[in-house]
Amino acid sequence: MQKLLLSVMIGSALAATAVQASSHREAPGIARAPALDSTDFYAFNSYESGREGYVTLIANYIPLQDAYGGPNYFAMDPAAEYAIHIDNDGDAMEDISFALKFTPMLAADNQGVALTVGPEGNQRSVKVPLKNVGPVSAEDMSAVNFSEQYSLMMVEGDMRSGARTEIMPMDAMYFAKPLDYIGNKTFSSTAEYQRYADQYVYNVMLPGCEMPARVFVGQRKDPFVVNLGKTFDLVNYVPVEGDSMPGAGDGNGFPGGITQSDSNDDLADKNVTSIALEVPASCVTGDGNGTIGAWTTASLPQARILNPNATFSKPEVQGGAMTQVSRLGNPLVNELVIGIGDKDKFSTSHPADDGQFADYVTHPALPELLNILFRDAVNSTLGTDIDTLAPTNFPRTDLVTAFLTGFPGVNQLATVTPSEMLRLNTAIPATPAAEQSWAGVAGDDLAGFPNGRRPGDDVVDIALRVVMGRLCYPIPVNGEETDLGLCDSSDASVGNVPFTDGAPLDASMMDSSFPYLTTPLPGSE
């Protein structure tokens, strides 16, 4: 029993110490393949009015998209299989997966639009270099030269060997992905682009499910907010709130501390590509206790042979077994927990095998790095003699409860297995957007992170505080400050400090209906 408990603690610390931010370019291998790079993953009870009893799952791919990134913009990899996985019994193995594969197509029978160029008697039919040859609208898509269709499979059991059922849209012949937001000469306005993109929300019926689900795949504004450049430059700011409260503008917080400003968000001008599913909770919870674990992956055939005479339809030949190359559940696991030499291994691993990364977790590096970077400055500024800023309780049972075993009655699965994935209690009612706390559970909002993750949950600030020992101090539970008994305040010298990256995020910055993420930024106004 003691050995099992230690195993659980090791696995939970992996999930806990890592949940800091977004997974943009998180490992050497996947940084070379942006079309397969998952940037963020969300799982939450739908809070759109009238959608009670539904769960929304969003997997974002292709990081750091500049809206003006033409002429090819941001297509998905046609050789890849993108998937969202659900574990509903707690064994860290997928019970249900939704798998998507994409097919790029050109107009004119896949030959591409061609123009007749030259005078009579010396004319040539020349293919155009652009993805559209004129304005595009919800009513008229005749000028589209490039498109992407996709298939959707529901896999029951093991992702590779389980039973597969093809899902088809209820109101269309096939699934398609809208063009990226090229700009306002193409789409005329943001409102018109959104009206065009809305046509690509599909209703579907899942096997054994009485209520329809919804699917959308397309470009969105990157919902994540983070002080990215300065954070990875040895945290080139003082990561403590400089005001008496966020946004107060009074400078009465930590001397020299960073204050909240949209200018601290390095992703403010970036888009992503989203795979969004909304499914009835009753159709994915299985025989468990109503709490699910979820994560996203991308896989490629094991062998890729380049075509030395490449064509649009055949740039390469693929072969061999599908091999996972990207994985994301909780954010920033690979960036700030896993050592560089093992980052690609983590990308290819399965949640059930996460015990292999225990050495990175039992003594997490991030708190000690912050201690090395800031302890002397803190002591000098405050006139104190703090021995260490890093929590001293080992193993970190506070992180165990928060991110693996979960809180009983909140996000704890019936069975606890050491693993890294988002955990969501589907029975906890969604909090309406206007009432959500950016701090999630720590903000007295049980429907938020780490009970799943909503787009408006500021996981950077939440996780910075938890990693530095916030749960060693009382937190609000049902409106009352509650000592969780996981560790003592003496274990965390700065556990009650309001750590922050200074980049504000809350639900008001998102839409309040499916797919929740806002209209992407245009390539030109």
Side-chain angles (χ1 to χ4, degrees):
M1 180 63 72
Q2 187 175 16
K3 185 176 181 180
L4 176 61
L5 179 59
L6 177 60
S7 177
V8 168
M9 288 179 174
I10 288 171
S12 70
L14 172 63
T17 59
V19 189
Q20 305 289 324
S22 172
S23 287
H24 295 75
R25 298 173 55 80
E26 72 273 16
I30 205 60
R32 296 192 294 267
L36 303 165
D37 189 353
S38 49
T39 70
D40 280 288
F41 182 63
Y42 302 91
F44 55 94
N45 290 320
S46 299
Y47 50 90
E48 177 181 348
S49 178
R51 302 299 288 184
E52 297 80 7
Y54 281 83
V55 169
T56 296
L57 305 159
I58 304 173
N60 290 340
Y61 281 85
I62 314 181
L64 305 176
Q65 295 181 18
D66 290 319
Y68 51 80
N72 288 298
Y73 299 95
F74 306 98
M76 304 294 265
D77 190 325
E81 185 170 57
Y82 301 84
I84 292 174
H85 310 279
I86 296 171
D87 167 24
N88 55 32
D89 56 17
D91 62 358
M93 300 291 293
E94 64 272 15
D95 296 296
I96 298 172
S97 299
F98 297 98
L100 298 88
K101 296 198 71 174
F102 292 82
T103 302
M105 303 179 68
L106 296 177
D109 295 324
N110 216 29
Q111 298 302 305
V113 173
L115 300 178
T116 301
V117 180
E120 187 174 351
N122 188 22
Q123 294 180 333
R124 300 289 188 275
S125 180
V126 181
K127 297 174 184 177
V128 302
L130 305 179
K131 286 193 169 181
N132 64 299
V133 295
V136 179
S137 69
E139 290 77 25
D140 184 2
M141 289 178 274
S142 60
V144 173
N145 190 32
F146 173 90
S147 62
E148 291 174 274
Q149 297 180 11
Y150 61 93
S151 63
L152 174 62
M153 294 283 182
M154 180 171 167
V155 186
E156 298 177 84
D158 183 86
M159 176 63 184
R160 303 300 175 212
S161 61
R164 292 189 166 223
T165 302
E166 184 171 8
I167 308 299
M168 296 296 294
M170 297 172 61
D171 43 8
M173 296 294 294
Y174 52 84
F175 293 108
K177 173 177 172 283
L179 278 176
D180 292 341
Y181 194 176
I182 293 168
N184 285 341
K185 188 171 184 181
T186 294
F187 289 103
S188 77
S189 70
T190 297
E192 284 302 304
Y193 179 83
Q194 187 55 51
R195 198 166 68 86
Y196 157 77
D198 285 344
Q199 299 178 113
Y200 296 86
V201 176
Y202 298 98
N203 294 310
V204 300
M205 294 302 299
L206 304 179
C209 198
E210 295 182 359
M211 299 297 292
R214 290 193 287 188
V215 182
F216 171 79
V217 179
Q219 192 179 50
R220 298 282 89 186
K221 166 70 180 71
D222 193 331
F224 194 68
V225 169
V226 63
N227 200 341
L228 191 64
K230 289 184 177 181
T231 295
F232 285 107
D233 183 20
L234 298 178
V235 193
N236 191 13
Y237 55 91
V238 178
V240 181
E241 180 58 57
D243 287 336
S244 59
M245 61 181 297
D250 55 17
N252 290 331
F254 188 84
I258 193 167
T259 57
Q260 302 299 309
S261 172
D262 292 338
S263 65
N264 292 326
D265 175 21
D266 288 334
L267 304 185
D269 61 349
K270 305 300 181 185
N271 293 326
V272 291
T273 300
S274 297
I275 299 172
L277 303 173
E278 185 187 52
V279 298
S282 60
C283 299
V284 295
T285 50
D287 297 326
N289 63 356
T291 296
I292 60 173
W295 67 100
T296 184
T297 63
S299 300
L300 282 175
Q302 200 165 23
R304 172 176 282 185
I305 302 174
L306 299 179
N307 183 355
N309 190 27
T311 64
F312 175 82
S313 60
K314 196 171 185 179
E316 67 233 351
V317 175
Q318 311 285 337
M322 294 299 290
T323 302
Q324 181 180 305
V325 295
S326 176
R327 167 191 169 194
L328 178 61
N330 282 301
L332 213 70
V333 170
N334 226 352
E335 285 90 337
L336 289 181
V337 175
I338 307 300
I340 291 177
D342 283 333
K343 286 179 180 290
D344 291 330
K345 178 183 289 188
F346 182 86
S347 294
T348 62
S349 68
H350 195 279
D353 299 324
D354 282 345
Q356 66 185 304
F357 303 110
D359 287 348
Y360 293 115
V361 185
T362 55
H363 299 78
L366 178 60
E368 187 55 36
L369 284 172
L370 292 174
N371 176 58
I372 293 169
L373 290 169
F374 293 105
R375 182 189 59 187
D376 291 346
V378 167
N379 283 330
S380 176
T381 299
L382 300 181
T384 53
D385 188 25
I386 300 173
D387 182 54
T388 178
L389 305 181
T392 57
N393 54 307
F394 295 102
R396 294 288 304 274
T397 53
D398 53 329
L399 303 185
V400 170
T401 301
F403 298 107
L404 183 71
T405 63
F407 296 95
V410 179
N411 65 337
Q412 190 174 84
L413 275 76
T415 299
V416 177
T417 302
S419 56
E420 195 288 294
M421 54 186 177
L422 277 179
R423 288 170 171 78
L424 171 68
N425 186 340
T426 65
I428 291 178
T431 303
E435 301 172 20
Q436 290 180 16
S437 169
W438 61 263
V441 172
D444 206 14
D445 182 359
L446 291 180
F449 182 80
N451 181 28
R453 180 188 176 191
R454 302 169 301 198
D457 291 337
D458 194 342
V459 296
V460 175
D461 286 7
I462 298 169
L464 275 173
R465 298 176 191 194
V466 170
V467 167
M468 295 305 291
R470 179 64 182 88
L471 299 184
C472 297
Y473 292 74
I475 66 167
V477 177
N478 293 324
E480 295 186 7
E481 291 295 314
T482 304
D483 184 349
L484 301 179
L486 302 172
C487 46
D488 297 324
S489 60
S490 60
D491 295 322
S493 59
V494 294
N496 59 349
V497 168
F499 287 95
T500 179
D501 70 335
L505 173 64
D506 60 54
S508 70
M509 301 164 66
M510 308 296 158
D511 286 343
S512 56
S513 60
F514 183 82
Y516 294 97
L517 310 188
T518 59
T519 308
L521 302 171
S524 77
E525 296 289 349

